Amino acid sequence: MELTPREFDLLRFLLRHQRQVLTREQILQAVWGYDYYGDTNVVDVYIRYIRKKIDHGRSSELIHTVRGVGYVLKEQA
């Protein structure tokens, strides 16, 4: 699977914090850096890009949305 450098950094961060609910702000700081002044919406966009690539052919999603909080990467049951 091909990932952009940003997608790779985001997926690596999620993998390092597997089963831990991460806020968009935590993700932004870790992946985009403290100097990023954009909207947290960018996290949602990149999560969608990654989901499209890693969930292809799977019966369930690996990255789950925690409404009002952020995202969590869970192992497939």
Side-chain angles (χ1 to χ4, degrees):
M1 135 183 26
E2 288 188 35
L3 298 173
T4 67
R6 185 72 71 192
E7 291 169 346
F8 179 81
D9 290 343
L10 175 55
L11 184 57
R12 180 175 56 187
F13 182 70
L14 292 172
L15 285 166
R16 286 184 175 165
H17 297 89
Q18 198 170 26
R19 295 181 303 274
Q20 179 182 348
V21 178
L22 301 164
T23 67
R24 287 169 180 81
E25 290 77 19
Q26 288 174 309
I27 296 170
L28 273 176
Q29 288 180 358
V31 178
W32 276 262
Y34 291 99
D35 296 338
Y36 181 77
Y37 291 108
D39 189 13
T40 59
N41 170 302
V42 72
V43 173
D44 302 329
V45 171
Y46 274 83
I47 291 288
R48 187 175 71 239
Y49 293 160
I50 291 173
R51 278 180 174 157
K52 187 174 180 180
K53 293 177 181 183
I54 67 171
D55 289 338
H56 180 72
R58 293 186 178 273
S59 59
S60 63
E61 293 182 341
L62 294 176
I63 301 172
H64 299 267
T65 302
V66 180
R67 185 167 273 192
V69 182
Y71 297 97
V72 61
L73 186 120
K74 293 183 181 178
E75 295 177 8
Q76 197 169 10

